Amino acid sequence: MQSYVTGEIIRGLREKRRLTQRDLAQRLNVSDKTISKWETGGSLR
């Protein structure tokens, strides 16, 4: 079992709750660019 959450899962859960990347970023106290990187895997490259 993988011990990390993939970007696909993050995006799916965010969209299920009808949150924009900006909404989620504000709730987590990070930038919306950070959310985008998480979802696209940009921070893992």
Side-chain angles (χ1 to χ4, degrees):
M1 181 174 210
Q2 295 176 341
S3 62
Y4 61 90
V5 178
T6 65
E8 249 180 62
I9 294 172
I10 294 171
R11 181 178 180 181
L13 292 171
R14 175 181 62 77
E15 289 178 344
K16 184 177 180 180
R17 288 164 178 78
R18 296 186 174 153
L19 295 172
T20 64
Q21 287 182 344
R22 182 170 290 192
D23 294 334
L24 181 57
Q26 288 175 342
R27 289 178 182 215
L28 298 176
N29 200 30
V30 297
S31 73
D32 54 340
K33 289 181 183 181
T34 298
I35 301 298
S36 177
K37 283 183 182 180
W38 291 347
E39 291 183 358
T40 63
S43 59
L44 302 175
R45 291 183 190 157

